[in-house]
Amino acid sequence: MAAKSEHQIVSSEMLPAFSETANVERKQDLSEDQTEHQKAGLGEGIEPISKRQMKKLMKQKQWEEQRELRKQKRKEKRKRKQLERQCQLESNSDGSDRKRIRRDVVHSTLRLIIDCSFDSLMVLKDIKKLHKQIQRCYAENRRALHPVQFYLTSHGGQLKKNMDENDKGWVNWKDIHIKPEHYSEFIKKEDLIYLTSDSPNVLKELDESKAYVIGGLVDHNHHKGLTYKQASDYGIDHAQLPLGNFVKMNSRKVLAVNHVFEIILEYLETRDWQEAFFTILPQRKGAVPTDKACESSSHDKEFATAEGGLNSDSSEEENSRNEQNSPHEEKQDKENSSESTVNSVPQVSCSHSPPLQDTVQDQQQDEVNNETKPQDGRTLGL
């Protein structure tokens, strides 16, 4: 009994110590489990990198490494361009470089207007074409030796929207007057001349005190005579370029907006309509100078008359040959006819003279028939 009590006392004294150590071990195990769980959570949070992302990281790394090399290349390129410019300036002592040409520009007082009041008559595709033609006019006027006073009137609607969407830099264009008003609101009527191919008036010279209007219409000839009608309604002078006096074309005489614009710029520089037309007109128009066209037509006529003369000579020779051969042919015809008559006579006699045996048999048959017939003319057996 005493031993049991001592054991119980010892075990009761050891219980608190044992429980403390058990609690410590339990806490350590929990902390280890938490750290492992956190690590596992971190591992699950990081997604695996794809090949494309790896390539991007590699390229970015290479880009960073080659930054200094790129700077050095840019410096070398700038130095090389400076040397090229210096050499060009030294070689272009005759004044052929672009900056010197721009200094020699003489601005013309002629006003050239593109009338954009036909916006409602065009579809979006044609509006885009008109926009490109206006861009071409602006670029050519900026490069010209004698640039005109360029006006863009009645600007709005589909055209303005298309320019805002596809060419936002138009608001910074220089040497151009873009106005939403109609041209008749700020230019005197007596100064206006509408350029239209339907006009009976033909331009001979350009008056630089006038304002020439080009219809901004791309309609593929759907609205014939519209610009001429508008000019007549407004009481404005109208005229057409002297295209027919210098050029013969396979197609119609209606030109694009930029072609008319460029022809006027070229004429202001050269003062020669024919040179202006053949410098600007595209090859698809099949333009030929009128003098060459007349020469070719006269040559064709001469060739046709020469062929007619040759044909007449040959026909005369054939007629003479026929006349020479005609008496001989007549003799042959007479001989052939005589031979045919001689040969035909015995044939006719033979055909009309039957043989004697046939005639006797026919007579006997007639007698038999007469005997068998009754007196009243009816056949026997009836």
Side-chain angles (χ1 to χ4, degrees), residues 217-265:
L217 177 62
V218 180
D219 65 334
H220 307 286
N221 211 21
H222 293 157
H223 303 281
K224 293 181 180 179
L226 184 62
T227 53
Y228 175 65
K229 183 178 181 300
Q230 190 183 88
S232 301
D233 292 343
Y234 281 106
I236 300 167
D237 291 337
H238 46 78
Q240 62 169 298
L241 296 177
L243 196 63
N245 297 342
F246 299 94
V247 179
K248 185 178 180 182
M249 294 194 304
N250 295 331
S251 60
R252 56 199 177 101
K253 292 194 295 182
V254 180
L255 302 177
V257 173
N258 60 299
H259 290 157
V260 178
F261 196 99
E262 292 172 38
I263 285 167
I264 290 173
L265 290 177

Side-chain angles (χ1 to χ4, degrees), residues 221-315:
N221 211 21
H222 293 157
H223 303 281
K224 293 181 180 179
L226 184 62
T227 53
Y228 175 65
K229 183 178 181 300
Q230 190 183 88
S232 301
D233 292 343
Y234 281 106
I236 300 167
D237 291 337
H238 46 78
Q240 62 169 298
L241 296 177
L243 196 63
N245 297 342
F246 299 94
V247 179
K248 185 178 180 182
M249 294 194 304
N250 295 331
S251 60
R252 56 199 177 101
K253 292 194 295 182
V254 180
L255 302 177
V257 173
N258 60 299
H259 290 157
V260 178
F261 196 99
E262 292 172 38
I263 285 167
I264 290 173
L265 290 177
E266 189 69 22
Y267 176 77
L268 290 174
E269 184 176 345
T270 60
R271 296 291 171 178
D272 185 347
W273 282 116
Q274 187 166 351
E275 185 177 349
F277 288 136
F278 283 97
T279 303
I280 303 303
L281 287 176
Q283 291 182 354
R284 68 175 183 274
K285 291 285 185 182
V288 179
T290 51
D291 51 357
K292 288 186 179 180
C294 293
E295 286 177 4
S296 63
S297 62
S298 62
H299 179 70
D300 292 339
K301 287 179 181 178
E302 289 175 0
F303 184 70
T305 53
E307 283 186 346
L310 289 172
N311 292 331
S312 63
D313 293 339
S314 61
S315 63

Side-chain angles (χ1 to χ4, degrees), residues 51-258:
K51 290 182 179 179
R52 188 176 293 179
Q53 289 175 344
M54 285 291 291
K55 286 180 181 178
K56 284 183 180 178
L57 291 172
M58 292 293 290
K59 284 182 181 178
Q60 189 175 359
K61 187 177 179 182
Q62 289 176 0
W63 179 265
E64 294 293 335
E65 290 174 355
Q66 295 176 357
R67 181 174 291 177
E68 295 298 327
L69 182 62
R70 287 196 303 276
K71 283 183 181 180
Q72 188 177 354
K73 284 183 178 180
R74 283 197 295 269
K75 286 180 182 178
E76 291 175 358
K77 189 176 181 180
R78 280 197 294 269
K79 288 179 181 179
R80 189 167 60 252
K81 282 188 176 180
Q82 287 176 358
L83 290 172
E84 287 176 359
R85 280 196 218 100
Q86 288 177 0
C87 295
Q88 192 175 2
L89 289 171
E90 290 173 1
S91 61
N92 291 337
S93 58
D94 56 348
S96 61
D97 71 331
R98 188 173 176 181
K99 288 186 178 179
R100 292 185 183 182
I101 287 174
R102 286 298 297 173
R103 288 172 192 167
D104 297 336
V105 166
V106 178
H107 289 268
S108 173
T109 56
L110 184 144
R111 288 162 289 178
L112 201 53
I113 302 165
I114 295 180
D115 176 20
C116 303
S117 62
F118 307 100
D119 190 88
S120 60
L121 300 177
M122 291 183 284
V123 296
L124 183 60
K125 182 174 72 173
D126 295 334
I127 290 286
K128 289 181 178 180
K129 288 181 181 178
L130 178 61
H131 177 206
K132 287 181 180 178
Q133 291 176 9
I134 291 169
Q135 286 178 321
R136 183 70 181 267
C137 294
Y138 172 73
E140 291 298 325
N141 195 49
R142 291 279 293 166
R143 282 197 289 263
L145 289 174
H146 299 286
V148 297
Q149 307 299 315
F150 187 12
Y151 285 82
L152 202 64
T153 62
S154 301
H155 183 252
Q158 297 182 85
L159 179 62
K160 184 177 182 300
K161 184 180 178 182
N162 186 69
M163 291 174 73
D164 289 335
E165 290 175 356
N166 301 316
D167 185 17
K168 295 179 181 179
W170 70 268
V171 294
N172 299 320
W173 283 0
K174 299 176 182 178
D175 300 329
I176 185 171
H177 309 280
I178 301 176
K179 295 181 178 293
E181 299 87 12
H182 195 263
Y183 56 85
S184 60
E185 296 181 18
F186 55 89
I187 296 177
K188 295 178 182 179
K189 189 180 288 187
E190 55 268 18
D191 292 342
L192 289 166
I193 298 175
Y194 212 112
L195 297 175
T196 170
S197 62
D198 299 306
S199 173
N201 307 321
V202 180
L203 274 180
K204 294 181 179 179
E205 294 287 336
L206 288 175
D207 187 354
E208 297 196 27
S209 65
K210 298 289 185 181
Y212 293 89
V213 185
I214 303 171
L217 177 62
V218 180
D219 65 334
H220 307 286
N221 211 21
H222 293 157
H223 303 281
K224 293 181 180 179
L226 184 62
T227 53
Y228 175 65
K229 183 178 181 300
Q230 190 183 88
S232 301
D233 292 343
Y234 281 106
I236 300 167
D237 291 337
H238 46 78
Q240 62 169 298
L241 296 177
L243 196 63
N245 297 342
F246 299 94
V247 179
K248 185 178 180 182
M249 294 194 304
N250 295 331
S251 60
R252 56 199 177 101
K253 292 194 295 182
V254 180
L255 302 177
V257 173
N258 60 299

Side-chain angles (χ1 to χ4, degrees), residues 281-345:
L281 287 176
Q283 291 182 354
R284 68 175 183 274
K285 291 285 185 182
V288 179
T290 51
D291 51 357
K292 288 186 179 180
C294 293
E295 286 177 4
S296 63
S297 62
S298 62
H299 179 70
D300 292 339
K301 287 179 181 178
E302 289 175 0
F303 184 70
T305 53
E307 283 186 346
L310 289 172
N311 292 331
S312 63
D313 293 339
S314 61
S315 63
E316 287 177 0
E317 289 178 1
E318 288 178 357
N319 290 330
S320 62
R321 287 176 185 171
N322 291 331
E323 288 175 357
Q324 290 175 1
N325 295 328
S326 60
H328 181 66
E329 289 176 354
E330 287 176 357
K331 288 180 180 179
Q332 287 182 351
D333 293 336
K334 288 179 180 179
E335 291 176 356
N336 292 330
S337 62
S338 62
E339 288 177 359
S340 62
T341 54
V342 169
N343 293 326
S344 62
V345 169

Side-chain angles (χ1 to χ4, degrees), residues 16-72:
F18 179 75
S19 62
E20 287 178 1
T21 54
N23 290 331
V24 170
E25 288 177 357
R26 205 174 289 152
K27 286 180 182 179
Q28 287 178 355
D29 293 336
L30 287 171
S31 62
E32 287 177 359
D33 292 339
Q34 286 177 357
T35 53
E36 287 178 1
H37 183 68
Q38 287 176 358
K39 286 179 181 179
L42 290 171
E44 289 175 359
I46 298 171
E47 295 179 357
I49 298 173
S50 63
K51 290 182 179 179
R52 188 176 293 179
Q53 289 175 344
M54 285 291 291
K55 286 180 181 178
K56 284 183 180 178
L57 291 172
M58 292 293 290
K59 284 182 181 178
Q60 189 175 359
K61 187 177 179 182
Q62 289 176 0
W63 179 265
E64 294 293 335
E65 290 174 355
Q66 295 176 357
R67 181 174 291 177
E68 295 298 327
L69 182 62
R70 287 196 303 276
K71 283 183 181 180
Q72 188 177 354

